Amino acid sequence: MAVKITKVLSKNSPSTKVINIKFDIGDNGDGIKKVEDTFTFSMSKDSTGLYKIGKDVEKFCGIKEADVIKQVNEGKDRPEDAIIYGMTNVMNGGKDIYMWINATRYGGMSEKVGPIPAMIEVLSHEATHLAKLVFTRHIAKTKNINLTNEDWIKHNYGAGSYNWPTNGDLNDKNKLIQISDESFATLTGQLAQEIAPYFLKFSDKHNGK
């Protein structure tokens, strides 16, 4: 598995890994047996680091960078209550996807419940969002939809634009249910497992360990 490493430049610079995945998720009745994609995993000291990992982050996540900078400068990004704890979304004009974590907020949760329980909570949460992105892009690819721009984001998958395929009990009533629960759960776990070692490594860097 190819992994591109970007070194930490300073405490406030985000740590990033660009990870290529190729997972076998089994035959679960939805026709999706394997998925292959690339995503960026990133962690930074505070919420401003989110906007440094790529272009168009503000556009796709909907949270204004200027507002975040202001609140961080006002001391509102704390171990007990960060402005943004985690974000998984699209960037770079729709070409790339990412997962980002706030190291300070994770450090606060680690002190409260322990590092592994804290990681399990936020990583499982964000991996669920990441699985949705990966599956949507996989389905778009099977339909020969462009993944290098916003075409796959805006495409009508059966219920109008911006309504992406989802998981559930496969049936003919809901056209958006194109992913079995088993496939979704399997990919979510595989993504979390892949990210976990880098999550802990980045946390140690940004929390001074």
Side-chain angles (χ1 to χ4, degrees):
M1 182 173 294
V3 178
K4 179 181 177 182
I5 301 175
T6 302
K7 293 182 179 179
V8 179
L9 300 178
S10 71
K11 272 193 172 183
N12 293 325
S13 298
S15 302
T16 62
K17 280 190 182 288
V18 178
I19 302 174
N20 298 321
I21 58 167
K22 189 174 183 179
F23 292 141
D24 183 346
I25 59 174
D27 185 356
N28 300 305
D30 50 20
I32 307 172
K33 297 180 181 180
K34 295 181 179 180
V35 293
E36 184 174 357
D37 209 335
T38 300
F39 67 91
T40 296
F41 173 66
S42 182
M43 184 180 288
S44 57
K45 188 69 175 176
D46 61 43
S47 295
T48 62
L50 169 63
Y51 302 90
K52 300 175 182 177
I53 63 175
K55 299 178 181 178
D56 302 326
V57 170
E58 177 179 302
K59 172 184 174 181
F60 289 108
C61 80
I63 304 173
K64 293 186 179 298
E65 182 180 8
D67 291 344
V68 171
I69 292 173
K70 180 176 182 292
Q71 292 180 66
V72 167
N73 290 337
E74 291 171 350
K76 295 180 180 179
D77 213 49
R78 306 185 305 276
E80 308 81 27
D81 185 20
I83 300 161
I84 309 170
Y85 187 178
M87 180 67 67
T88 300
N89 215 315
V90 182
M91 62 182 179
N92 299 333
K95 181 172 70 72
D96 299 313
I97 57 178
Y98 67 87
M99 179 194 293
W100 170 89
I101 301 293
N102 185 318
T104 294
R105 182 69 182 101
Y106 167 68
M109 285 301 296
S110 294
E111 291 294 325
K112 183 178 180 181
V113 302
I116 298 303
M119 180 183 71
I120 290 172
E121 187 278 326
V122 69
L123 186 51
S124 61
H125 179 109
E126 296 301 332
T128 300
H129 293 307
L130 184 59
K132 180 71 172 259
L133 289 169
V134 171
F135 273 125
T136 299
R137 286 162 62 86
H138 172 84
I139 292 169
K141 191 186 301 182
T142 65
K143 298 177 181 291
N144 296 316
I145 300 167
N146 196 336
L147 297 181
T148 65
N149 55 31
E150 295 185 43
D151 286 359
W152 69 274
I153 300 171
K154 300 176 180 179
H155 182 72
N156 182 350
Y157 293 95
S161 297
Y162 298 104
N163 289 292
W164 291 352
T166 190
N167 62 295
D169 295 324
L170 300 172
N171 57 63
D172 296 328
K173 296 179 181 179
N174 187 335
K175 294 180 179 179
L176 285 181
I177 297 179
Q178 302 174 29
I179 309 156
S180 73
D181 283 336
E182 186 65 24
S183 292
F184 199 90
T186 298
L187 180 59
T188 300
Q190 289 172 326
L191 290 168
Q193 182 182 60
E194 185 71 26
I195 294 167
Y198 310 134
F199 186 110
L200 293 172
K201 182 177 180 180
F202 288 171
S203 172
D204 285 349
K205 288 182 180 179
H206 289 287
N207 288 318
K209 295 182 180 179

